[in-house]
Amino acid sequence: MQVNNRENVYASICPGCGLACGLYLRETVSETGEALVSVDFRKSAQVNAGKLCSFGLKLPLYYAEPQTSMVKGQKSELEAAISASIEALKTAPVKSLAFFSVGNATNEEQKAFSVLAGAFDKDVETGMGVYSSLPVSMHAALNRNMSLEEVEKAKQVFLFVDPYSQYPLLLRRVLRAKENGAKIVCIGPRHLPVADEQFCLKPGEYGKFLFPSQDSVLVADIHPYSDPEHIKAVLELAEVSGSKTLILKPFANSAGAGLLTANTKQCTLEKLLEGIDSGKIKTLFCLESDFLELTPDREAAVRALSKLDSLIVQTSSRGELSRLADIVIASEPFYRKQGTVLNAEGRLLSIGGDSTLSFDALSSLAAAFGKQLDFESARKEVFEDFGLKKAGEFAFRAPAEPCSGPVETEAPCSKYEPGQKSCSIFLSESLQEYSSASISASLVYSLSPFMWHGLEDENDFVELNLRMIRRLGLVKGGTVKIRSQGKIVDIKFRVSSIEDGYLLSSQRLPITGFPGVEVKFSVR
Amino acid sequence: MSELKVAADIKVGDKLLGWAASEDVRSRGASGGLVTAVLAAALETGLVDRVLVLKKVSEFEAYPVFTSDVQEVLESAGSMHSVPVNLARYLKPETCSGKTALPAKPCDARAVVERVKRNVMSSEDTYVIGLNCGGTMHPEKVRKMLETIYRLDPEEIAGEEIVKGKLVFFTKDGKEHAVPIDDLEAEDLGRRDSCRYCQVKIPTNADLACGNWGVPGDLAEKVTFVEVMTEKGVELLRNTVSAGFAEVMQPDGKSISAREKVNKVMLGMSEKRKTEVFAPIENGKERFEYFRKELENCIHCGACKAVCPVCTCGEDSKCTAYFSLADSHKMSLFHMVRFLHLSDSCIGCGQCEDVCPAEIPLTRLYQRFAVPVQKEYRYLPGMSDRTPPFFALKLEDNEDKEGGGCTCR
């Protein structure tokens, strides 16, 4: 029997997080044109040497449902969706327009999107409101990065992220650093096996308990929920100690989007949602960015989005946002795109495809408003913007611009008042305020690629430490009831080695607004 | 030099020297291009429908493809020690329609045998052209050794070869750069860990067992030594010779003994390494702690299972069925079940270790668990069609065994 399926192999990258791991995607196209995608290991990839996390291995699910263009809930041709978008943008009051792209698009698409937004004198929002909450002088430090290989050579690594769940392909670099004799200091509520020292600290305490040196690397991340105080404290610590920073980002091209929107004022997701809810934003254009998956309170987001006059979504994946959209401009799957992303190391990577469908759609839209941009020009501009000369996988790094001036800090970390209690002490005291059947804790999300991309994982549980479980009298196999802001969720739990007074979750819980809230527990 | 052998005279047990008839194939392929010629002839004459080969992207990058295009086979020619892929994993029911041929290192060939036992594919329809193998290298380590030991730019590499215990890189300027593999391994570079203790160097379990070991010095790089192991091997080689794709001749006794000697030396080195790596941990608590500690960084991505060429369970597997991320066991049931499940099938190919994002020495762990079991039942997986002991075992078979309990030290 002869097999007639056509197989296309793409040497591509994973869209799961800002590390942008290399992989092969095998697309088997049947005689009927149906494409089945499978993932294969690309051991020559410099970022990850072929290693993948569970998100990478589950990419076939991410690519399972290709998008189709829609206008007002009806399937349409791509051209019709573009025309409808032009009409929607033309009729909308300019003041009420917003353009949103978090970094799931290529640099070239991001460039075209900026050109389109620029036609209305608007900037593209990336959801990284943290930039606007920090002094401008710190922005360069957020975009200045280092290679993962350099982490291995550090004498001390200070981890403000959890590499096991958030950026799994960072883990091997940290383990190698440890093997090379580095001390690994972990900051966060989860006790990590790799840690030589573990702290659970407030940003104001970093200077008091952490002592990095010039040979140290501080690894932190910025994302749409980032606490500006935390980022500021990390950067100050780096500034004072002379240590290097590796600032990770949650989307494959977060770094590229960040650089391409540098020097523009950025809203937080919360502010953006408020703008929509209040009617200030009436037309929202989302490029490869699922607003619903990003906002923690999905119900509130759905309510707010229903107030829009027009929701235009340009995306390659189906999701609830597409169903809510007035217009869907279907783009090709990520692996088929021609173009580049800038990963969190500052390495420019080619996605590996040959399609410019999505770019062309944006280009047509921009042209309708008097702005011309072809793919080659966009590509050239991207290289110029990043200070790079040629395309390729291994050679490039982000420009390492020094801070333009003194950091506009409040007090340096070392000047924090002594005697401040760490979170764990504070929370263990607060625990005593409650009866054994009802205690409070801080909810901390483990922001994994699954959460950012709305892909289902098997993490349908929350994590507590044994002491809290005993206090609550929870039994194995049971559930725990969590309350916050008048909402309740009943969910499975797992015993984990984490700080007292914390509740960890790898999935969004339908009880909270933006993270950092206090929740209460009780036995079912 | 002896006379050329005619196709009809080729039989099982033959040990021959062969080379591609075409100058082009000889120049593209390693050691005279015999393997490439066999694959191309099999396709051209319709002996097989497709060939599974590595499509070359660069010296350090290639990916497996099924092809019916002879040109694509020719382009895949040449040794690729820096692309450690196990091809057997790609032989699946959905890809195995029709007859398929593939080049196979010993671990590929062993995995093919294990997959046949598990009814994933048919032995009759698969032609395995074995390649003797002293080991492969992970491209990440190759880059590192080029930069730190050879002081060469990886982008300048035009080819590589292992010659007399040295790893030789050829640069685009036509120069050769050789370093003894022992020196590389002293720096934790060189071959993959699992290759260093691998117990099969010549794939006598394949239909043909080819390679450069045993090739006389004056013919080095010009011919391939080939052992005809099965009737399918006879079919393959006769087909190649009669189609005019290759020529073969009888080697002298010196070549045959030289091949055996190289194999013996390589196996001896592996055995020594194996003894070092798998020093028994007699104390049960210490043994448990060793496994627990090695696995503590596991992120449960499942890559080890996905890449494993002898795991044929698919989605519905015991290791995942009895495992939940919500569990808080000291050692996850995923690993426990896999240790047991692979104890009579792990071929030590090292793929799991290659792709583990936490760099857990998984092959060592699986082998530490499996080797005592395999030794006890005198069973080396992937070397014959013998039923795996756990499937064949009757209670009385174990009566003469000493003591009880776990032997996995």
Side-chain angles (χ1 to χ4, degrees):
Chain A
M1 190 179 80
Q2 188 65 44
V3 178
N4 293 317
N5 290 343
R6 192 180 81 241
E7 192 177 66
N8 304 314
V9 181
Y10 295 86
S12 190
I13 54 175
C14 176
C17 77
L19 292 178
C21 293
L23 46 76
Y24 291 117
L25 276 156
R26 289 176 178 271
E27 186 188 60
T28 310
V29 185
S30 68
E31 281 175 313
T32 57
E34 205 176 316
L36 268 180
V37 174
S38 62
V39 172
D40 209 346
F41 304 92
R42 189 178 167 198
K43 295 180 186 176
S44 61
Q46 242 183 344
V47 172
N48 58 315
K51 298 148 199 296
L52 294 172
C53 71
S54 51
F55 185 87
L57 285 157
K58 285 185 178 169
L59 276 179
L61 297 176
Y62 181 79
Y63 290 124
E65 285 190 279
Q67 186 56 271
T68 47
S69 292
M70 314 270 281
V71 176
K72 299 283 175 200
Q74 300 295 314
K75 278 188 184 174
S76 78
E77 293 297 320
L78 175 65
E79 291 307 320
I82 294 171
S83 301
S85 303
I86 293 170
E87 196 53 37
L89 292 171
K90 266 184 186 163
T91 51
V94 170
K95 266 191 168 180
S96 70
L97 281 170
F99 296 83
F100 181 59
S101 172
V102 290
N104 281 321
T106 66
N107 286 313
E108 292 73 13
E109 289 167 357
Q110 193 76 20
K111 195 88 197 165
F113 199 45
S114 294
V115 168
L116 173 64
F120 302 93
D121 210 17
K122 293 276 176 187
D123 294 320
V124 172
E125 297 289 348
T126 61
M128 295 284 199
V130 67
Y131 278 96
S132 297
S133 310
L134 293 172
V136 175
S137 55
M138 280 187 168
H139 292 192
L142 289 176
N143 293 330
R144 184 175 58 232
N145 262 319
M146 57 181 287
S147 75
L148 291 166
E149 284 89 346
E150 285 176 80
V151 175
E152 296 175 22
K153 294 171 192 157
K155 294 274 186 281
Q156 292 184 95
V157 180
F158 290 78
L159 285 174
F160 294 88
V161 295
D162 173 358
Y164 293 82
S165 59
Q166 290 178 267
Y167 301 95
L169 266 299
L170 169 69
L171 178 60
R172 71 189 191 105
R173 309 292 187 166
V174 178
L175 290 167
R176 284 183 180 184
K178 185 166 175 148
E179 210 176 287
N180 293 337
K183 186 167 89 174
I184 312 299
V185 182
C186 299
I187 301 96
R190 189 196 296 282
H191 300 170
L192 302 177
V194 73
D196 293 307
E197 283 182 17
Q198 180 85 41
F199 294 93
C200 188
L201 303 171
K202 293 176 185 172
E205 296 171 315
Y206 295 168
K208 188 184 166 200
F209 293 101
L210 307 176
F211 305 102
S213 64
Q214 285 187 333
D215 300 324
S216 303
V217 170
L218 313 185
V219 186
D221 70 341
I222 54 167
H223 51 72
Y225 303 159
S226 282
D227 171 11
E229 288 308 309
H230 157 65
I231 299 297
K232 197 196 274 183
V234 171
L235 294 180
E236 283 171 356
L237 195 60
E239 180 78 11
V240 167
S241 61
S243 51
K244 293 178 183 169
T245 52
L246 174 62
I247 307 292
L248 299 169
K249 286 142 191 157
F251 304 105
N253 198 31
S254 291
L259 277 178
L260 293 172
T261 55
N263 306 320
T264 63
K265 191 163 168 56
Q266 292 290 313
C267 273
T268 61
L269 273 183
E270 205 169 4
K271 287 277 176 209
L272 210 52
L273 195 61
E274 271 174 31
I276 297 166
D277 199 41
S278 66
K280 205 174 151 191
I281 296 168
K282 297 298 284 180
T283 296
L284 177 66
F285 193 147
C286 297
L287 173 64
E288 304 288 6
S289 305
D290 193 323
F291 203 85
L292 289 180
E293 296 297 352
L294 293 168
T295 48
D297 192 336
R298 183 184 282 257
E299 279 177 36
V302 170
R303 273 197 309 275
L305 291 175
S306 67
K307 295 178 182 175
L308 289 169
D309 289 341
S310 280
L311 174 59
I312 305 168
V313 174
Q314 182 163 335
T315 182
S316 59
S317 53
R318 286 185 191 178
E320 202 181 332
L321 188 71
S322 309
R323 287 187 277 278
L324 290 176
D326 299 290
I327 303 162
V328 176
I329 300 171
S331 53
E332 66 279 69
F334 186 71
Y335 63 87
R336 283 196 203 157
K337 287 178 194 258
Q338 186 178 352
T340 57
V341 300
L342 193 73
N343 83 345
E345 296 172 283
R347 201 194 300 258
L348 194 71
L349 298 165
S350 169
I351 290 179
D354 55 8
S355 169
T356 56
L357 187 80
S358 183
F359 175 87
D360 294 341
L362 291 165
S363 183
S364 301
L365 285 165
F369 297 96
K371 303 279 181 183
Q372 301 290 335
L373 190 69
D374 62 83
F375 185 80
E376 280 312 313
S377 311
R379 191 180 177 80
K380 201 173 158 219
E381 282 184 29
V382 164
F383 282 105
E384 280 168 9
D385 286 354
F386 295 159
L388 301 173
K389 287 179 184 162
K390 56 176 186 169
E393 187 179 7
F394 302 126
F396 305 112
R397 305 285 305 278
E401 292 169 19
C403 286
S404 53
V407 179
E408 297 162 30
T409 58
E410 279 111 62
C413 293
S414 55
K415 289 187 185 169
Y416 273 97
E417 286 294 311
Q420 282 188 328
K421 289 172 185 171
S422 69
C423 291
S424 56
I425 298 165
F426 168 77
L427 281 155
S428 61
E429 283 173 355
S430 74
L431 284 175
Q432 293 164 10
E433 294 168 20
Y434 297 92
S435 72
S436 63
S438 173
I439 58 176
S440 73
S442 280
L443 172 66
V444 175
Y445 282 136
S446 183
L447 297 164
S448 72
F450 287 97
M451 195 184 273
W452 291 122
H453 292 278
L455 197 65
E456 212 169 283
D457 194 15
E458 286 137 22
N459 298 331
D460 56 344
F461 54 85
V462 292
E463 295 173 74
L464 299 137
N465 72 13
L466 190 58
R467 183 166 172 254
M468 291 167 78
I469 282 169
R470 282 183 178 152
R471 284 177 66 102
L472 286 161
L474 296 171
V475 291
K476 196 176 177 184
T479 59
V480 61
K481 200 175 272 185
I482 307 161
R483 282 171 285 148
S484 174
Q485 299 175 351
K487 293 178 186 170
I488 297 177
V489 66
D490 208 4
I491 190 165
K492 283 196 279 185
F493 65 89
R494 170 197 155 122
V495 187
S496 288
S497 182
I498 58 177
E499 281 294 311
D500 238 356
Y502 282 90
L503 169 74
L504 258 58
S505 177
S506 297
Q507 58 169 321
R508 284 180 307 174
L509 301 178
I511 51 163
T512 61
F514 282 80
V517 295
E518 286 274 299
V519 294
K520 284 186 183 180
F521 304 102
S522 58
V523 190
R524 192 179 183 182
Chain B
M1 192 163 172
S2 69
E3 284 180 13
L4 296 181
K5 191 154 188 160
V6 293
D9 290 346
I10 297 168
K11 58 187 185 305
V12 173
D14 274 355
K15 293 180 179 186
L16 304 165
L17 296 176
W19 58 92
S22 151
E23 170 61 36
D24 178 43
V25 177
R26 283 203 301 274
S27 64
R28 286 168 188 261
S31 305
L34 180 72
V35 173
T36 308
V38 171
L39 291 168
L43 260 188
E44 191 75 35
T45 60
L47 178 65
V48 298
D49 301 300
R50 295 177 311 156
V51 161
L52 174 58
V53 288
L54 288 172
K55 192 178 171 93
K56 209 167 178 174
V57 179
S58 71
E59 282 307 314
F60 314 107
E61 181 166 11
Y63 53 85
V65 288
F66 285 96
T67 183
S68 304
D69 182 351
V70 174
Q71 191 56 36
E72 205 159 22
V73 173
L74 297 180
E75 284 163 10
S76 73
S79 52
M80 296 208 73
H81 295 102
S82 310
V83 183
V85 174
N86 192 304
L87 289 176
R89 183 166 67 86
Y90 299 86
L91 299 168
K92 297 182 263 193
E94 59 270 31
T95 59
C96 281
S97 359
K99 295 195 172 190
T100 306
L102 71 150
K105 306 181 296 297
C107 51
D108 298 285
R110 292 177 72 186
V112 166
V113 172
E114 289 303 305
R115 290 176 81 79
V116 167
K117 286 179 193 172
R118 285 158 182 79
N119 299 322
V120 174
M121 51 187 281
S122 145
S123 169
E124 292 90 68
D125 292 337
T126 311
Y127 291 79
V128 184
I129 298 133
L131 314 165
N132 61 237
C133 177
T136 53
M137 299 166 293
H138 196 291
E140 188 183 44
K141 279 199 172 176
V142 174
R143 282 186 171 273
K144 192 174 172 190
M145 62 187 157
L146 281 170
E147 285 162 1
T148 60
I149 308 280
Y150 289 79
R151 306 278 174 192
L152 291 172
D153 177 356
E155 307 308 320
E156 287 304 308
I157 302 303
E160 49 82 10
E161 192 54 85
I162 296 173
V163 184
K164 292 180 181 170
K166 288 183 179 173
L167 177 61
V168 186
F169 283 101
F170 306 99
T171 39
K172 288 174 183 167
D173 58 7
K175 289 183 181 164
E176 286 183 26
H177 309 264
V179 174
I181 291 177
D182 285 349
D183 293 357
L184 297 170
E185 287 173 356
E187 300 287 323
D188 193 28
L189 296 167
R191 293 173 298 167
R192 293 153 72 236
D193 189 50
S194 55
C195 296
R196 294 179 65 186
Y197 54 79
C198 172
Q199 297 300 290
V200 183
K201 304 293 180 183
I202 297 178
T204 52
N205 52 345
D207 297 312
L208 293 174
C210 305
N212 57 358
W213 300 350
V215 171
D218 58 329
L219 293 177
E221 298 302 306
K222 293 176 188 158
V223 303
T224 304
F225 197 108
V226 52
E227 297 178 60
V228 184
M229 305 308 304
T230 65
E231 286 300 336
K232 276 192 292 163
V234 172
E235 199 181 352
L236 273 170
L237 203 54
R238 279 185 181 171
N239 178 68
T240 311
V241 173
S242 59
F245 277 68
E247 292 171 333
V248 292
M249 67 174 193
Q250 192 75 39
D252 57 22
K254 217 170 143 187
S255 291
I256 295 170
S257 59
R259 182 169 172 83
E260 284 163 2
K261 195 177 164 191
V262 176
N263 190 37
K264 204 174 160 189
V265 169
M266 295 299 288
L267 289 175
M269 283 161 61
S270 279
E271 193 56 42
K272 190 177 164 221
R273 177 72 181 162
K274 196 173 173 185
T275 310
E276 287 165 13
V277 169
F278 297 107
I281 307 169
E282 299 293 349
N283 182 295
K285 275 186 185 169
E286 282 176 19
R287 205 181 313 142
F288 175 80
E289 186 53 22
Y290 165 79
F291 278 94
R292 190 201 64 75
K293 190 77 186 156
E294 291 288 7
L295 291 167
E296 73 177 355
N297 290 312
C298 175
I299 60 165
H300 294 110
C301 61
C304 49
K305 178 179 181 294
V307 81
C308 180
V310 297
C311 172
T312 59
C313 303
E315 293 291 309
D316 187 19
S317 55
K318 291 166 199 71
C319 58
T320 50
Y322 296 106
F323 164 72
S324 164
L325 283 173
D327 292 338
S328 316
H329 305 306
K330 282 186 178 173
M331 194 154 71
S332 86
L333 281 176
F334 171 81
H335 290 298
M336 298 292 276
V337 174
R338 266 183 72 75
F339 284 141
L340 273 173
H341 205 188
L342 289 175
S343 61
D344 67 355
S345 60
C346 178
I347 54 169
C349 66
Q351 294 297 317
C352 47
E353 208 163 292
D354 280 354
V355 301
C356 177
E359 304 204 325
I360 299 167
L362 284 164
T363 312
R364 283 192 182 196
L365 300 186
Y366 290 127
Q367 284 283 294
R368 182 174 277 279
F369 212 93
V371 168
V373 175
Q374 295 173 2
K375 204 171 168 184
E376 190 165 355
Y377 293 103
R378 291 179 290 280
Y379 176 78
L380 195 58
M383 294 308 290
S384 72
D385 60 1
R386 187 184 143 193
T387 308
F390 289 173
F391 293 100
L393 187 68
K394 297 182 193 123
L395 279 177
E396 57 269 27
D397 292 342
N398 207 28
E399 278 173 1
D400 59 343
K401 299 277 183 297
E402 277 181 32
C406 180
T407 58
C408 313
R409 297 188 178 94

